[in-house]
Amino acid sequence: MDADERSIVRRARLRIGVLVGLAIGALLMLGGGISYAALLHSQENLIAGELEWGATRGTTSGPPGCSWIFVSDGRTVDTGVNPPPPGFPLQSALDTVATTRATETTKIARNGTVYYVRTQTRGNGVVQAVFDARFQLADRRHLLLAFSLAAAAGLIAAVLTGVLVARRAVAPLAEALARQRRFVADASHELRTPIAQVHTRAQLLARRARTGATAADQRDLDRLVGTTRRLGEIVDELLLSARLAATPADRPPTAAVDLAELTRAAIVTEADRAGERHVSVTLDAPGDPLPVPGIESALRRVVGELLANALTHTPEGGRIGVTVRAGNGHAELIVADTGDGFDQADADRIFDRFHRGAGAGDRRFGLGLALLREVVTSHHGTIEADGHPGRGATFTVRLPTGVASNRSTTFRGGSHG
């Protein structure tokens, strides 16, 4: 798999693991919430019962544990033998109930705890029952802490389990991608020879027919030659793409490639085509070698594709400037033309496979620039493009000159290809 496919698989594994973990964590939190609500309801009922019993039957000399009973006859308040907590009894509640004769229940946070207070009439007087809920509050805190720790541990265990499950679930996808790559490589390899033979025979037929064929037949033969040539190019691109995405053990070995010499050779190869189109091609390159680690055939394809792209979109009489120079820890290859340029709205999609931008002409398959990006990224480099409609375009490729690293790459811009 290439870097993009490996990234997709990793994201799928992580996403499945997180979702499984969140689902299990949500179930744990739901169970904890239900348990806490049940405890709270049970405690509230218990406290209400204690208050009702104390207000109805309790005495100041023997109130239940954590409780106080205060009895008022309208003039004095009997607080019993146990000293009341600070702030009690609630005199305002005693006065109100003595006047309205209606039972009053309230909850007060005071002294670092919560007191439940019930005030009602008893006979000719008023009684007030106070319950200290500090032990119930402690039980609630302990329950919440226990459930929080259990939920956190359960969430971590769930995420780890989810990641393991995701690894097994995504494994068939990774295997399918690997098989697809192998199939493309095998099929492309097997197709190269017969396609090359068909192309050669088409060229021979076109040469033989130049003297006796009609103009229509000659055009058909020329189209056949062009079609077989493009078909061979597509097969070569697919094969190179599959090789770049292969495992390190299956990849071609890397070596020090002289980028300057590679560029000179590519310009010589395109010299005839540039001459036919009356396009001038200039090269600004150092006299000394500029080595970059990589696969020579792949990097040759980068330079050739950029030159071919520029020639395709540069009109007669135009100019193409090629610059090769050393940077800070990297080598730069810059190809600038005075051709059609491209629309910036198309910039994000131009390196996509099979994308065909405006003015693509006979370059209808859209594999060239997509493969170019694969080659550059597989060499841990970057590619940028800049241009404007009718004012040409500039492609800049940067390749590390030292040992390749595994850093990620960000791309900007597009092309007119």
Side-chain angles (χ1 to χ4, degrees):
M1 293 185 291
D2 60 18
D4 290 339
E5 290 171 349
R6 286 193 294 270
S7 177
I8 292 172
V9 171
R10 283 195 300 269
R11 286 199 301 269
R13 289 173 177 170
L14 180 60
R15 188 178 297 114
I16 293 174
V18 170
L19 290 177
V20 171
L22 290 177
I24 297 178
L27 291 176
L28 290 173
M29 294 300 294
L30 178 61
I34 294 175
S35 300
Y36 183 79
L39 175 65
L40 187 62
H41 180 70
S42 175
Q43 288 183 346
E44 293 286 347
N45 288 338
L46 174 64
I47 294 171
E50 291 285 343
L51 288 175
E52 183 180 3
W53 189 92
T56 305
R57 305 175 186 177
T59 63
T60 58
S61 60
C66 299
S67 299
W68 293 265
I69 304 297
F70 309 113
V71 179
S72 172
D73 59 5
R75 295 184 300 273
T76 61
V77 178
D78 182 6
T79 60
V81 296
N82 294 326
F88 290 97
L90 299 179
Q91 188 61 50
S92 60
L94 291 172
D95 295 339
T96 300
V97 172
T99 302
T100 62
R101 313 300 291 179
T103 300
E104 181 179 300
T105 302
T106 186
K107 182 168 61 175
I108 297 176
R110 184 179 293 175
N111 306 325
T113 184
V114 174
Y115 297 97
Y116 289 78
V117 182
R118 180 186 175 101
T119 309
Q120 68 178 52
T121 59
R122 184 198 290 179
N124 295 326
V126 178
V127 63
Q128 187 174 90
V130 179
F131 184 88
D132 185 353
R134 66 178 68 240
F135 294 112
Q136 285 73 16
L137 295 177
D139 289 341
R140 296 175 191 177
R141 289 193 296 269
H142 293 158
L143 181 64
L144 286 176
L145 178 61
F147 272 117
S148 299
L149 293 176
L155 181 60
I156 295 174
V159 170
L160 294 177
T161 302
V163 169
L164 294 177
V165 172
R167 186 178 296 274
R168 290 181 175 272
V170 178
L173 173 61
E175 179 62 23
L177 290 172
R179 289 181 179 180
Q180 181 190 39
R181 287 290 185 181
R182 286 195 295 269
F183 170 77
V184 171
D186 294 342
S188 301
H189 186 271
E190 294 297 324
L191 287 172
R192 292 180 73 187
T193 300
I195 289 176
Q197 293 174 348
V198 171
H199 180 61
T200 301
R201 291 172 183 172
Q203 288 178 310
L204 291 175
L205 286 175
R207 288 198 203 94
R208 293 173 184 170
R210 291 189 185 280
T211 55
T214 64
D217 291 340
Q218 189 61 51
R219 284 196 302 272
D220 290 340
L221 286 172
D222 290 339
R223 290 172 182 171
L224 176 61
V225 173
T227 300
T228 56
R229 183 186 69 251
R230 288 196 300 272
L231 184 59
E233 291 173 352
I234 293 172
V235 170
D236 287 341
E237 289 170 350
L238 290 173
L239 180 59
L240 180 56
S241 177
R243 295 178 71 192
L244 290 173
T247 59
D250 298 329
R251 287 184 185 176
T254 59
V257 180
D258 186 354
L259 186 60
E261 182 59 31
L262 205 67
T263 304
R264 293 190 188 93
I267 291 176
V268 171
T269 301
E270 295 287 356
D272 291 342
R273 184 183 174 196
E276 292 175 358
R277 298 176 61 86
H278 304 288
V279 174
S280 64
V281 181
T282 60
L283 173 64
D284 180 9
D288 297 330
L290 183 55
V292 295
I295 302 171
E296 183 176 354
S297 60
L299 293 178
R300 183 183 300 113
R301 192 57 182 265
V302 171
V303 182
E305 179 63 30
L306 288 177
L307 284 174
N309 185 69
L311 282 169
T312 299
H313 296 279
T314 301
E316 291 191 7
R319 299 182 307 278
I320 298 175
V322 183
T323 303
V324 179
R325 63 191 182 192
N328 184 16
H330 64 268
E332 285 188 346
L333 168 66
I334 304 172
V335 179
D337 62 60
T338 59
D340 303 333
F342 61 90
D343 189 349
Q344 281 296 126
D346 209 32
D348 292 336
R349 297 180 291 118
I350 204 65
F351 286 108
D352 294 342
R353 292 188 178 216
F354 303 105
H355 174 73
R356 183 180 180 183
D362 62 351
R363 295 164 59 80
R364 64 182 72 246
F365 297 101
L367 276 173
L369 292 178
L371 177 64
L372 184 150
R373 183 175 66 174
E374 287 188 33
V375 173
V376 173
T377 55
S378 69
H379 285 73
H380 307 283
T382 64
I383 180 169
E384 300 175 358
D386 185 31
H388 301 279
R391 292 191 292 171
T394 301
F395 286 83
T396 302
V397 175
R398 294 183 179 88
L399 297 169
T401 54
V403 177
S405 65
N406 291 326
R407 64 180 182 275
S408 59
T409 305
T410 302
F411 302 94
R412 301 189 299 275
S415 101
H416 49 179

